[in-house]
Amino acid sequence: MEEQAKKLRVGWFNFTCSEDNTIVLTEMLNDYWQEWKKKIDFRYFRILKTNNVMEQMDVAFIEGAITSDIQSEKLKTIRDLSTKLVAVGSCAVTGMPSSQRNNFDEKTTEEIQFILDRFGYLPKVQKVSDVVKVDAEVPGCPMDPNKFLEILNQNLKEFGIN
Amino acid sequence: MHQADFDLNLDKITKVEGSAGLEIRVKDNKVEHVHFKISEFKRFYTQAIRGKPVVAVPQLLSRICGTCSNAHIMCSIEAAEKALGIKPSEKTLLMRILTMYSLMIRDHALHLYLFVLPDIFNKDSFLELDEKDEAQHQLLHDAFDIKAAGNYLSTIIAGRSVHGPYPTVGGFTHFPEKQEIEEAIKKLESIRPGVLRLIEIFKNSPFHFDRRTKFMGLVGDRFDFLRGAIISSTGDMIPEEKFGEHLERVVIPYSQASGYEFEGESYMVGALARINLAKDRLHSETKKSAEEALSMFPSTDMFNNNLAQAIEILHCLDDSLDILKNNSFDAEEIIKFDVKQGIGVGVIEAPRGTLYHKLEVNDKGIVEKGEVIIPTGQNQINIEKDIGHLVDELIPETSEDKIVFEIEKLIRAYDPCMSCASHFLKVDWKK
């Protein structure tokens, strides 16, 4: 029986952001869908599929900043399950613009405090590397597609995917 | 007879934009309550724009949402220009219309192919469509060719399909080259048969959910998503700058986004509303090619929101071709203006419905206050009510898995955008 070609096990995760990087990825699919279908096994990709699994993956791509303890714990779980973790887009890499409330004056913070309390927001929004070790970054708002390709291809090579 | 008595909590809806959850309580075969919780964490844009120069605000508000970003830019620019008393040129207006058309083509195609079609073909993901099956193979290629054509048009006109950098207050910073226009025309013409195939699929969709509601939208002489007055299916007509005054914000304590009512009544915005209200204003070629599909409107079937989006893709394609073939896009200077104190309202039709931006600017051109009302926030109350009616129809005979599937399908038909709405679905069954 023919052995199935090895694929890169990938998770794509969204935290606090506009999901612009996800949209850029769906546009990159226009050109790369046939190649990526053969080489990538999307184990977790909520915008693309319903049956997502949280289990060992080769590369986890993280979009968005971290706004709550729940998000922080989920990110740590993802880190534990992934060999490599890549922060994608400005919110994940720098925190901004999702972390803009970190720079609000006292009056504005008081104005929004009831929402922060009601939904369990962290006192300050964090970037991904504030919470877990990050192996690579794709900066940009939205992410730079060329840089994303470079990192993806590096990982395909590193994990021996032809 | 089997008795339905359960709590259902759905944590993350899949194949929608953003994050939402759902909690339903069923007791003695009746739905007691439905809580549709937009769980996307807020990023506080309406606070963040205070103190910023008005010309910088459209690019900041663009970051509310990745997929409707260019709609936010258009709406914010309109609000800024109204506040400053700037009248855009004809060329600027045509390029803004193309910005909207390219957005609709790309974003509706994303929704219809990647989010909805898997439900019709009973697949977990669009990429699982069978390349050995001729029809499915065609759909795979159609999806990515249509999205690519929309993406290309966005790129040459707005600079990018996500957070386009070229549109600005007073005009555009960059203009397309002649060969780029020719390439856009070629791409749009090549995808037309694929769009007709898409319309056929949704015309014959096996999914139906009838819901009588008030439909509302911005309607003008041209179906261009940018100009007109707010009209409703019950005869209301309001100038766009007064739209916000007729809306009541409904705080939903379990959701990170607010809901809205129009004079005490819930209502629906989006493609279904637009086609119901103004199908006569579609491009003549669209009306000819989609005549049979258009005869199904006005419609109260929520799943016809999908068909309405497919028809809008065709209209955007047809009208884009007209604009591209019959106009020149030579460079034009941005309108120079003096900053002044003012209040401006922008209202446009984003892919998912009516979008409202209001800016209050001081005499130094600095924003003092802003307000944004999002389409999904306006649909939130209807979404919740519909889920309740749907579950009422399904219990007690339907299995839990099937109930969840039917709910997700219905939510997808609305095409909600949770990133926008929070300035889905994790299900938890409790018995």
Side-chain angles (χ1 to χ4, degrees):
Chain A
M1 197 163 142
E2 208 178 301
E3 207 180 293
Q4 267 203 327
K6 187 179 163 193
K7 292 187 184 185
L8 190 73
R9 294 169 304 169
V10 164
W12 184 276
F13 300 92
N14 318 96
F15 289 99
T16 301
C17 59
S18 69
E19 300 202 357
D20 49 4
N21 310 293
T22 300
I23 300 305
V24 169
L25 185 70
T26 63
E27 291 311 304
M28 292 178 76
L29 273 174
N30 299 341
D31 296 322
Y32 293 99
W33 67 274
Q34 287 169 295
E35 180 189 335
W36 289 352
K37 251 187 95 153
K38 294 184 193 126
K39 295 183 179 178
I40 300 176
D41 178 9
F42 287 106
R43 310 296 284 142
Y44 196 107
F45 194 176
R46 185 181 46 75
I47 211 169
L48 187 67
K49 47 191 288 209
T50 294
N51 297 324
N52 297 292
V53 290
M54 282 290 279
E55 55 184 37
Q56 191 60 36
M57 59 202 116
D58 300 319
V59 189
F61 292 95
I62 309 294
E63 171 182 49
I66 304 302
T67 306
S68 71
D69 278 330
I70 296 173
Q71 289 191 337
S72 192
E73 289 312 305
K74 183 167 178 190
L75 178 59
K76 289 173 188 168
T77 302
I78 294 166
R79 176 73 263 197
D80 288 341
L81 290 172
S82 53
T83 309
K84 293 288 176 81
L85 187 138
V86 181
V88 167
S90 182
C91 291
V93 173
T94 71
M96 284 291 277
S98 289
S99 64
Q100 53 202 349
R101 69 173 167 93
N102 292 0
N103 302 323
F104 284 175
D105 59 28
E106 203 177 307
K107 182 164 171 263
T108 310
T109 304
E110 265 171 34
E111 184 187 321
I112 64 172
Q113 192 62 47
F114 76 100
I115 293 175
L116 305 185
D117 293 338
R118 178 185 289 164
F119 292 104
Y121 287 58
L122 288 167
K124 294 285 180 195
V125 181
Q126 296 174 305
K127 57 187 187 295
V128 171
S129 61
D130 286 338
V131 182
V132 296
K133 177 174 167 289
V134 171
D135 299 299
E137 292 177 343
V138 184
C141 183
M143 70 173 183
D144 177 349
N146 293 324
K147 183 70 183 171
F148 173 79
L149 261 182
E150 183 193 310
I151 288 176
L152 177 65
N153 289 334
Q154 260 167 26
N155 278 287
L156 285 168
K157 192 171 170 196
E158 206 174 302
F159 284 89
I161 315 293
N162 296 314
Chain B
M1 186 174 118
H2 173 58
Q3 176 91 332
D5 220 332
F6 55 80
D7 286 349
L8 176 165
N9 279 314
L10 201 59
D11 177 37
K12 288 264 187 250
I13 270 205
T14 57
K15 288 175 269 176
V16 290
E17 198 289 330
S19 179
L22 182 69
E23 184 196 291
I24 300 177
R25 168 157 296 160
V26 174
K27 213 167 153 47
D28 301 330
N29 287 340
K30 271 217 73 72
V31 174
E32 260 192 10
H33 74 242
V34 176
H35 290 165
F36 178 61
K37 314 176 195 180
I38 290 174
S39 49
E40 201 64 41
F41 282 89
K42 279 182 162 326
R43 290 157 289 139
F44 303 102
Y45 279 93
T46 46
Q47 285 78 14
I49 60 174
R50 294 179 204 155
K52 303 276 193 299
V54 66
V55 291
V57 165
Q59 282 296 326
L60 179 54
L61 291 180
S62 175
R63 272 77 186 170
I64 287 175
C65 180
T67 198
C68 342
S69 53
N70 287 353
H72 282 288
I73 293 176
M74 292 296 102
C75 201
S76 180
I77 285 175
E78 185 185 346
E81 288 180 346
K82 295 250 170 85
L84 297 169
I86 297 168
K87 188 169 179 314
S89 72
E90 263 312 299
K91 186 178 290 184
T92 292
L93 187 56
L94 284 176
M95 287 179 68
R96 288 177 184 171
I97 291 172
L98 287 172
T99 300
M100 293 305 299
Y101 286 171
S102 58
L103 166 62
M104 295 294 170
I105 292 169
R106 185 198 59 73
D107 193 38
H108 283 351
L110 171 72
H111 170 242
L112 295 174
Y113 285 105
L114 267 63
F115 298 171
V116 180
L117 270 190
D119 293 338
I120 292 180
F121 285 89
N122 210 22
K123 302 280 186 192
D124 185 40
S125 117
F126 181 69
L127 288 180
E128 285 176 16
L129 257 57
D130 186 356
E131 287 188 78
K132 294 191 187 70
D133 175 289
E134 196 181 320
Q136 292 184 36
H137 174 88
Q138 182 68 68
L139 285 172
L140 278 162
H141 285 271
D142 284 349
F144 296 114
D145 290 343
I146 291 170
K147 284 187 339 85
N151 188 33
Y152 184 78
L153 185 58
S154 282
T155 303
I156 67 168
I157 298 294
R160 205 165 41 206
S161 52
V162 177
H163 311 316
Y166 298 162
T168 189
V169 175
F172 278 75
T173 60
H174 185 96
F175 294 80
E177 304 287 333
K178 193 164 173 287
Q179 62 268 30
E180 290 175 327
I181 302 279
E182 282 163 11
E183 182 65 20
I185 290 170
K186 204 164 118 203
K187 285 184 190 297
L188 290 170
E189 284 174 343
S190 73
I191 61 165
R192 201 174 193 274
V195 179
L196 294 178
R197 283 189 281 273
L198 189 67
I199 288 173
E200 202 53 30
I201 288 175
F202 285 105
K203 185 162 78 61
N204 299 312
S205 165
F207 308 141
H208 302 283
F209 184 82
D210 196 73
R211 90 97 71 218
R212 269 147 229 290
T213 188
K214 192 191 213 41
F215 293 101
M216 295 191 60
L218 183 76
V219 174
D221 293 335
R222 186 182 204 156
F223 201 109
D224 63 21
F225 307 100
L226 287 177
R227 298 173 295 176
I230 301 289
I231 70 169
S232 82
S233 52
T234 51
D236 306 282
M237 184 165 180
I238 305 157
E240 55 171 76
E241 63 271 15
K242 301 277 182 203
F243 182 44
E245 294 169 25
H246 292 262
L247 298 184
E248 289 120 42
R249 194 167 145 255
V250 177
V251 172
I252 299 173
Y254 42 81
S255 176
Q256 302 238 27
S258 305
Y260 290 89
E261 287 181 337
F262 178 85
E263 295 177 354
E265 212 181 326
S266 69
Y267 60 99
M268 195 240 171
V269 294
L272 178 59
R274 293 191 286 260
I275 299 288
N276 276 348
L277 294 167
K279 65 177 182 176
D280 56 308
R281 301 191 203 184
L282 293 168
H283 194 277
S284 53
E285 289 301 314
T286 304
K287 287 194 280 194
K288 214 186 305 172
S289 300
E291 190 181 353
E292 214 180 302
L294 281 166
S295 69
M296 294 164 67
F297 298 86
S299 168
T300 50
D301 181 350
M302 260 320 300
F303 282 97
N304 279 338
N305 194 44
N306 296 328
L307 176 58
Q309 285 193 348
I311 294 169
E312 283 189 341
I313 294 176
L314 187 64
H315 163 77
C316 292
L317 185 163
D318 287 336
D319 211 16
S320 293
L321 285 169
D322 247 354
I323 294 172
L324 292 168
K325 288 176 180 175
N326 296 307
N327 290 280
S328 119
F329 294 91
D330 297 333
E332 186 181 82
E333 285 212 1
I334 293 168
I335 292 171
K336 291 184 177 34
F337 56 89
D338 294 319
V339 293
K340 66 177 188 70
Q341 185 179 18
I343 297 176
V345 168
V347 180
I348 69 162
E349 285 292 316
R352 292 157 185 83
T354 315
L355 176 63
Y356 170 98
H357 279 223
K358 183 177 177 185
L359 293 175
E360 293 183 23
V361 181
N362 70 18
D363 59 2
K364 296 183 174 50
I366 301 295
V367 171
E368 294 200 328
K369 203 170 156 190
E371 189 182 358
V372 179
I373 299 174
I374 302 290
T376 296
Q378 295 167 68
N379 284 340
Q380 204 179 186
I381 294 171
N382 268 11
I383 290 174
E384 209 171 71
K385 286 183 181 172
D386 284 359
I387 292 169
H389 290 312
L390 175 67
V391 174
D392 256 333
E393 282 173 15
L394 294 173
I395 53 175
E397 282 80 28
T398 314
S399 71
E400 290 169 6
D401 281 350
K402 180 99 170 88
I403 290 177
V404 169
F405 178 56
E406 293 300 317
I407 291 172
E408 285 205 325
K409 260 170 40 196
L410 180 62
I411 293 174
R412 282 186 203 114
Y414 269 95
D415 189 14
C417 185
M418 264 61 82
S419 292
C420 279
S422 64
H423 31 144
F424 227 67
L425 238 10
K426 173 182 162 181
V427 187
D428 217 359
W429 296 90
K430 285 189 215 143
K431 300 208 173 95

